[in-house]
Amino acid sequence: MNKVEMFENVHQEFKKRGFVTDPRGEAYGRCLYNPETNVSIHVGYIGKSSAGISVFDMSNNGMNWGEAYKKLKNGVMVRFNFNTKTFDKFYNTTYQNRVKKLNVALVD
């Protein structure tokens, strides 16, 4: 599978979980947005065995960056390793942990 196919697969997996095309328009074609959680993801890197996925909080119905992501000391990117995790496992652990950190940062 090539990088374009991997990118599409990652996007499709997020779409199955309620993500839609980012409301900010074509310039953000690599971004998806979840209107229920106000979280946007950006698939910024696809390698042979992993994808780098940035996770941001959003405000104003997905039209503006939030504030929580600026408070994360370890950055916003999480890595999905295709060789060691299924997408379900990644989504239920690594991704959900990052969203929890965003929610904690919103309160602080």
Side-chain angles (χ1 to χ4, degrees):
M1 191 174 301
N2 66 35
K3 290 181 180 185
V4 173
E5 292 169 322
M6 289 308 302
F7 174 82
E8 287 301 321
N9 283 348
V10 170
H11 262 215
Q12 288 306 315
E13 290 294 335
F14 274 103
K15 286 180 178 179
K16 288 178 190 175
R17 289 156 178 85
F19 282 77
V20 296
T21 301
D22 192 292
R24 294 171 290 169
E26 287 299 318
Y28 296 93
R30 296 180 72 137
C31 293
L32 295 175
Y33 171 69
N34 188 319
E36 290 181 26
T37 61
N38 278 328
V39 171
S40 180
I41 62 104
H42 175 267
V43 181
Y45 168 80
I46 297 279
K48 290 182 180 179
S49 63
S50 65
I53 301 168
S54 297
V55 183
F56 299 94
D57 62 307
M58 303 299 287
S59 63
N60 191 23
N61 295 319
M63 295 303 290
N64 302 102
W65 300 113
E67 294 297 318
Y69 79 94
K70 296 176 187 174
K71 299 177 182 179
L72 297 181
K73 293 179 175 40
N74 56 352
V76 295
M77 193 183 83
V78 291
R79 185 149 324 270
F80 167 38
N81 188 320
F82 313 132
N83 295 329
T84 60
K85 288 187 177 178
T86 64
F87 189 85
D88 286 339
K89 177 115 174 134
F90 161 78
Y91 188 84
N92 292 328
T93 57
T94 307
Y95 170 78
Q96 293 298 338
N97 286 339
R98 182 50 47 102
V99 172
K100 285 178 190 170
K101 286 181 182 180
L102 285 171
N103 288 334
V104 168
L106 277 174
V107 176
D108 289 343

